[in-house]
Amino acid sequence: MTQNPDAIIIGAGHNSLACACHLASRGWKVAVYEQNAEPGGAVKTGEYTLPGFRHDWAAMNLSLFAGSSFHRQHGTELAKHGLAFAPTANPFASLFPDGRWLGVSNDAALTTARIRGFSEADAREWTRLTESFPADAEAIFAVLGSPMNMRALGTLAGKTLWRRGTAGSLDLARFLTMSPRAWLDQTFESDHVKATLAAWGMHLDFAPDIAGGAVFPYLEAMAGQAFGMVLGQGGASTITSAMVAMIEARGGSVHCGTAVSSIEHIAGRAIGITLSDGKVVRAEKAVIANVSPRGLMKLTGGTGDPRHARAMEKFQHAPGTMMIHLAMDRLPNWPAAELKRFAYVHLAPSMDQMARTYAQALAGLLPDEPVIVCGQPTVVDPSRAPDGKHILWLQVRMAPGQIKGDATGTIDARNWQDAAEPFAERALDILERYAPGTRKNIIGQHVVTPQMFEADNPNLVGGDQVCGSHHLHQHFMNRPARGYADGTTPIRNLYHTGAAVWPGGGTGAGPGTLLARKLAGN
């Protein structure tokens, strides 16, 4: 007789796999079920344009994974299964319409000198932030890595008060609630410096005026200078393939192309799942669902708690993202040759423009000037393209999941099938404006619309790559709902994980790791 697994995990995104790896390392027998033909969710790599050109489907930056507690604990074992990183000392830069640029590198003196070119006062402030970063980062990462329950928060508050005092603790709390614009305006005077940092907020649904968003530009800037950036050798899927191999080596299983149609529960207790072919699989200890909040309701048919059900149904998603994968004869002809050394080049000229783009996308409009994140992975890892060739990884932020109109009035389409080409051309026009001649070097192109993202992965509702807004009302103890930020649900033995659960989106695998430790211990 086949033994039932201790834990069944629905979905094979990186949070699911991290959870499964940790449980397997603690002796649990795990079985992961993924509806797609390959694991990874938003963290996968493929030849989407031409043979030999390896593009990351969505996530490219693996710095959070490389620095995560999960990797610190299991990195040695994962390396034996092929995990390999490609680090860079030049993580990101911003290029501006006036031809000036600012880059953050893993060299404090160099980065400070670049900032001094914009403002002497800002260079002094940058030095102050650099000097205080180790102590401040320890406190911030303690919050972002803590379980969201009263016991853990009480312990954390006590430690923070002891280390930082009352005034320092209140300053930290104030900073965690600030918008990017409020913090940047109070810290720097150069609009170029402000825009360079504010662009990072757009990666995680924090336009300049959204409360609670200041921490992300701060951390990306300071961590980028302190540690550089980490990509996956050969593609972001290196973390996915290594975790799958670890699971299987420890006796677990990952079943791709196997959709789950329902979660079975009796008398308020989860007992297993039913697959789309009608097969029932029982779980001895836990059913873990890495799904969107509304997806959880669909699979369970309801959790029996009206407040939880309402929170799941009303869970708010961020605007979507369009991806443009380009196979290139050569890199863009940037106005400064140094920009060809950076993993990311942001084309986001001002905080006002970013705020306008965000407001337009929220209103269902195709933005007139979306933020462009130009990833240059072959600068860091030449193995991703044939000799002498390159790839570009373009994130077009923001884009509405449902199109109601066009901010310029020139695109008539109201569905992504028809809007994809003209909107992609708008993004490429922006790139061409900053780096003339780029278009003639494109030898392959593949556009991924918000609709395509959701079709590939139902967790990415409307193309929302972080599975839910991280605004304060839906973060910390409220992610995804008050009382359920630890991954529990009203149904016993049923647990919720993934980017919709605290601590949210990104490649750090925090939700999966925290849940696994809750279930099986550290």
Side-chain angles (χ1 to χ4, degrees):
M1 180 180 295
T2 303
Q3 180 184 353
N4 293 334
D6 294 306
I8 291 171
I9 303 178
I10 303 170
H14 73 287
N15 274 295
S16 295
L17 298 177
C19 184
C21 282
H22 188 79
L23 292 177
S25 75
R26 294 297 178 265
W28 285 43
K29 182 180 179 182
V30 297
V32 181
Y33 292 87
E34 166 61 46
Q35 69 173 12
N36 277 342
E38 61 179 311
V43 187
K44 57 188 177 185
T45 307
E47 296 181 340
Y48 304 126
T49 56
L50 298 171
F53 292 82
R54 291 180 56 77
H55 306 269
D56 290 332
W57 176 251
M60 183 180 101
N61 178 2
L62 299 183
S63 295
L64 288 175
F65 187 88
S68 67
S69 61
F70 172 79
H71 182 254
R72 288 195 297 273
Q73 189 167 6
H74 299 293
T76 300
E77 185 172 354
L78 291 171
K80 294 177 182 177
H81 293 295
L83 175 63
F85 294 127
T88 177
N90 299 294
F92 70 94
S94 279
L95 175 61
F96 299 98
D98 60 7
R100 302 183 75 185
W101 66 277
L102 175 59
V104 171
S105 296
N106 184 208
D107 180 329
L110 176 60
T111 302
T112 305
R114 289 175 182 150
I115 292 173
R116 186 172 292 112
F118 291 91
S119 164
E120 182 65 43
D122 287 355
R124 290 194 298 270
E125 188 64 23
W126 186 265
T127 298
R128 183 191 69 79
L129 291 172
T130 299
E131 292 171 348
S132 65
F133 176 63
D136 290 342
E138 181 182 15
I140 293 170
F141 283 126
V143 174
L144 298 181
S146 173
M148 279 294 119
N149 58 59
M150 296 308 298
R151 180 178 179 181
L153 290 176
T155 300
L156 178 61
K159 289 181 178 179
T160 303
L161 281 168
W162 181 75
R163 291 173 179 169
R164 300 176 67 89
T166 301
S169 299
L170 289 173
D171 286 346
L172 174 63
R174 175 177 177 271
F175 174 62
L176 291 174
T177 65
M178 292 181 78
S179 71
R181 191 192 297 269
W183 175 65
L184 290 165
D185 279 346
Q186 291 182 18
T187 307
F188 300 105
E189 64 178 16
S190 164
D191 288 337
H192 290 79
V193 174
K194 295 175 188 178
T196 298
L197 304 189
W200 278 106
M202 301 294 279
H203 285 253
L204 207 63
D205 189 39
F206 281 106
D209 300 300
I210 303 297
V215 65
F216 299 103
Y218 166 77
L219 286 179
E220 289 290 352
M222 289 290 106
Q225 178 180 254
F227 309 114
M229 183 181 284
V230 173
L231 308 188
Q233 186 70 40
S237 60
T238 184
I239 69 172
T240 300
S241 57
M243 287 192 287
V244 169
M246 177 178 167
I247 292 164
E248 293 176 343
R250 287 185 170 272
S253 57
V254 179
H255 307 270
C256 291
T258 309
V260 175
S261 60
S262 64
I263 295 171
E264 302 305 316
H265 50 101
I266 299 175
R269 177 179 178 273
I271 60 171
I273 59 173
T274 297
L275 304 178
S276 57
D277 64 4
K279 179 182 177 181
V280 176
V281 185
R282 303 286 185 176
E284 295 293 332
K285 296 180 180 179
V287 176
I288 299 167
N290 182 351
V291 298
S292 69
R294 283 192 284 276
L296 184 70
M297 298 303 291
K298 181 179 179 181
L299 288 174
T300 59
T303 59
D305 179 339
R307 183 176 67 83
H308 178 266
R310 178 174 173 78
M312 297 300 98
E313 294 293 348
K314 299 297 182 180
F315 189 81
Q316 294 178 324
H317 286 271
T321 297
M322 170 187 272
M323 289 293 308
I324 305 175
H325 299 297
L326 299 176
M328 307 289 295
D329 258 333
R330 54 182 56 87
L331 291 171
N333 186 30
W334 301 116
E338 278 189 87
L339 288 170
K340 294 182 180 182
R341 299 167 53 198
F342 286 86
Y344 280 178
V345 178
H346 287 120
L347 307 179
S350 70
M351 289 197 291
D352 287 344
Q353 178 263 325
M354 291 180 236
R356 185 177 74 247
T357 292
Y358 188 76
Q360 289 170 346
L362 280 184
L365 302 179
L366 296 168
D368 58 353
E369 189 174 357
V371 170
I372 307 297
V373 187
C374 182
Q376 304 181 122
T378 40
V379 169
V380 182
D381 176 17
S383 73
R384 298 193 190 197
D387 289 346
K389 306 299 182 182
H390 290 276
I391 60 173
L392 292 184
W393 173 96
L394 296 186
Q395 276 193 333
V396 184
R397 294 182 178 269
M398 300 287 187
Q402 298 293 324
I403 302 171
K404 298 180 181 178
D406 174 39
T408 69
T410 60
I411 299 176
D412 295 328
R414 296 296 178 265
N415 63 80
W416 274 109
Q417 184 176 349
D418 296 326
E421 181 178 353
F423 191 59
E425 287 301 307
R426 179 175 297 171
L428 292 175
D429 284 343
I430 294 172
L431 177 59
E432 184 77 12
R433 191 165 73 235
Y434 282 89
T438 297
R439 262 198 178 92
K440 69 181 180 182
N441 294 317
I442 297 173
I443 56 177
Q445 177 175 319
H446 179 64
V447 174
V448 186
T449 67
Q451 182 184 54
M452 291 167 67
F453 272 124
E454 183 173 357
D456 178 76
N457 182 347
N459 289 1
L460 308 185
V461 176
D464 168 17
Q465 292 191 357
V466 293
C467 197
S469 166
H470 290 73
H471 298 177
L472 290 176
H473 74 281
Q474 195 169 273
H475 206 37
F476 297 102
M477 295 195 76
N478 296 314
R479 190 170 189 90
R482 176 174 55 80
Y484 299 102
D486 62 351
T488 56
T489 74
I491 299 174
R492 297 190 310 277
N493 290 1
L494 173 62
Y495 300 92
H496 194 187
T497 193
V501 181
W502 168 259
T507 58
T513 302
L514 288 175
L515 178 58
R517 289 176 177 169
K518 174 184 178 67
L519 296 176
N522 291 327

